[in-house]
Amino acid sequence: QVQLVESGGGLVQPGGSLRLSCAASGTIFSINAMGWYRQAPGKERELVAVITSVGRTNYADSVKGRFTISRDNAKNTVYLQMNSLKPEDTAVYFCNADVRTAYGGIYRAYWGQGTQVTVSS
């Protein structure tokens, strides 16, 4: 079994910064892409940023230039540095990872439980 545990959410004023972390643990042979998604009340879950195992990144247009995704493969951890936060960034942020649990196995998507980010004055 694989667990993803997020941390770092909270309340921040507009223009502020937060750093989210997500650590994967359990039966892990390898991890392909890792990413962050978010879901605001009444809205569908959307991709925020994704990073491949070799460091290629992709961002939603709404966060380009403000958010930075990174990962530490040795720690099976992905980070999301969020700067210049706006009220519209308020959402529950979910970590996602494509994990293979055994040699020759297939990659499966796993999700964290989510962490609340609230941007408000």
Side-chain angles (χ1 to χ4, degrees), residues 26-71:
T27 307
I28 298 172
F29 180 80
S30 62
I31 301 177
N32 193 4
M34 301 184 80
W36 290 94
Y37 291 71
R38 67 187 181 187
Q39 187 166 19
K43 294 188 177 181
E44 294 185 353
R45 190 173 298 189
E46 63 175 1
L47 174 69
V48 176
V50 64
I51 184 168
T52 70
S53 59
V54 295
R56 292 181 180 174
T57 60
N58 191 36
Y59 295 91
D61 288 342
S62 59
V63 307
K64 283 181 180 177
R66 301 188 297 123
F67 291 9
T68 302
I69 190 170
S70 61
R71 65 190 281 175

Side-chain angles (χ1 to χ4, degrees), residues 4 6 22-23 34-37 78 93-97 110-112 114:
L4 301 181
E6 300 113 333
C22 172
M34 301 184 80
W36 290 94
Y37 291 71
V78 63
Y93 284 69
F94 296 90
C95 172
N96 169 274
Y110 292 85
W111 292 89

